[in-house]
């Protein structure tokens, strides 16, 4: 769980970095920057958990480094609404993923569970922010959203194992 969450938060940081490289001076930059800072906090926490609990980080980090950034840049180049469509889709996939972990953890590992619950609330807020900024009005929203969610689910599966 810690391996995949660490990988996911790293991917999130890279997506927002990619978005900010394109949209850093646009009206939505402050909103994106605020979410990016929260992803940094999430990543830092999972960095600590990886170290404390001697978890082997995903071997796919170099892939997520490039893929996350490319997804951020690519959607941002399609416009601010597409960038928010990307955020809404990613956060929806992460929300599902964290919800699954929370129910799987049950009474075990209260530290990890409360961390996941805490971050899940942030991700849900990011999703809402993205929707509030017109994510659904992005051109090709349905396709874009489904494709990104499918990609996230594959990335989650891979990062659990590899
Ligand atoms: Fe996050
Ligand atoms: Fe997030």
């Amino acid at each position: 769980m810690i391996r995949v969450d660490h990988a996911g938060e790293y991917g999130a940081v890279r997506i927002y970095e990619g978005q900010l490289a394109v949209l850093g001076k646009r009206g939505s930059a402050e909103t994106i920057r605020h979410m990016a800072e929260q992803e940094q906090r999430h990543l830092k926490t999972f960095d600590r958990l990886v170290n404390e609990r001697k978890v082997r980080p995903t071997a796919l980090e170099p892939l997520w480094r490039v893929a996350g950034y490319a997804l951020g840049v690519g959607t941002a180049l399609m416009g601010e609404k597409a960038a928010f469509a990307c955020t809404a889709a990613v956060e929806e996939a992460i929300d599902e993923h964290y919800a699954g972990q929370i129910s799987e953890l049950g009474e075990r590992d209260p530290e990890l569970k409360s961390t996941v619950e805490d971050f899940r609330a942030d991700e849900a807020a990011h999703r809402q922010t993205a929707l509030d900024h017109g994510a659904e009005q992005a051109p090709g929203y349905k396709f874009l959203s489904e494709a990104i969610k499918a990609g996230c689910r594959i990335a989650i599966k891979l990062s659990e194992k590899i």
Side-chain angles (χ1 to χ4, degrees), residues 12 15-16 19 31-32 35 39 71-72 75 79-97 120 122-138 141-150 152-153:
I15 291 169
Y16 286 117
Q19 290 184 348
T31 304
I32 299 173
M35 297 192 286
E39 302 301 353
L71 182 60
T75 51
E80 287 175 289
K81 290 197 163 91
F84 283 117
C86 170
T87 297
V90 169
E91 301 294 13
E92 191 180 323
I94 302 297
D95 182 60
E96 270 171 24
H97 166 70
R120 185 189 174 202
D122 284 346
E123 314 303 9
H126 295 168
R127 177 168 178 264
Q128 194 53 54
T129 298
L131 294 172
D132 292 345
H133 282 76
E136 288 160 311
Q137 286 135 44
Y141 172 74
K142 272 257 162 284
F143 172 79
L144 190 63
S145 171
E146 289 307 317
I148 292 171
K149 280 189 274 181
C152 288
R153 290 183 191 119

